[in-house]
């Protein structure tokens, strides 16, 4: 995978936008660079991160939300944590609460 290194100017632009939307603290260095890259390449950013969506919007960068993509098909399955018993819609490898394995099951 090739990594695009965004222009410092684009990163500045992202920093300013994040400052304006109040999301500056929520964005990691990687988040900022991803945003700057999407901004530079006129690409669509794919993220569920609310802060990134916010900043992308203020930069006029298109956003695709992972969780809403193909949601009809995904409704067939839940993922239940073997540790704490919580169920999730997303197919994560591990429970985001306690870190135990998730098992796929029908709701
Ligand atoms: Zn758990």
């Amino acid at each position: 995978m090739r990594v695009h290194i965004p222009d410092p100017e684009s990163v500045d632009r992202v920093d300013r936008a994040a400052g304006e939307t109040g999301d500056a603290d929520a964005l990691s260095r990687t988040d900022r660079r991803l945003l700057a890259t999407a901004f530079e390449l006129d690409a669509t950013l794919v993220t569920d991160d609310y802060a990134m969506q916010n900043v992308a919007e203020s930069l006029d960068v298109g956003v695709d939300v992972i969780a809403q993509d193909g949601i009809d098909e995904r409704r067939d399955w839940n993922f239940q944590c073997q540790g704490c018993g919580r169920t999730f819609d997303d197919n994560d490898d591990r429970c985001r609460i306690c870190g135990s394995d998730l098992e796929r099951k029908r709701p």
Side-chain angles (χ1 to χ4, degrees):
M1 179 178 140
R2 283 193 328 152
V3 178
H4 177 87
I5 307 293
D7 216 62
E9 246 174 58
S10 305
V11 179
D12 276 355
R13 181 99 195 247
V14 168
D15 282 343
R16 278 202 305 274
E20 281 163 21
T21 61
D23 293 302
D25 290 345
L27 294 180
S28 70
R29 195 174 137 76
T30 308
D31 292 343
R32 288 159 203 261
R33 287 171 67 161
L34 274 173
L35 278 159
T37 298
F39 177 71
E40 257 176 35
L41 303 180
D42 202 16
T44 299
L45 195 69
V46 180
T47 180
D48 278 336
D49 187 283
Y50 186 67
M52 287 180 79
Q53 291 170 10
N54 241 352
V55 177
E57 233 169 70
S58 91
L59 289 168
D60 273 331
V61 171
V63 177
D64 265 344
V65 180
I66 301 161
Q68 287 172 359
D69 189 23
I71 199 157
D72 287 340
E73 280 105 302
R74 288 205 201 175
R75 275 281 158 82
D76 288 347
W77 297 101
N78 271 345
F79 297 89
Q80 183 168 39
C81 175
Q82 300 303 287
C84 67
R86 285 180 172 84
T87 54
F88 302 96
D89 292 328
D90 299 334
N91 185 12
D92 292 328
D93 281 337
R94 307 209 158 259
C95 176
R96 69 189 70 149
I97 309 297
C98 73
S100 300
D101 289 327
L102 298 185
E103 187 179 285
R104 190 161 78 160
K105 58 173 259 181
R106 294 234 171 236

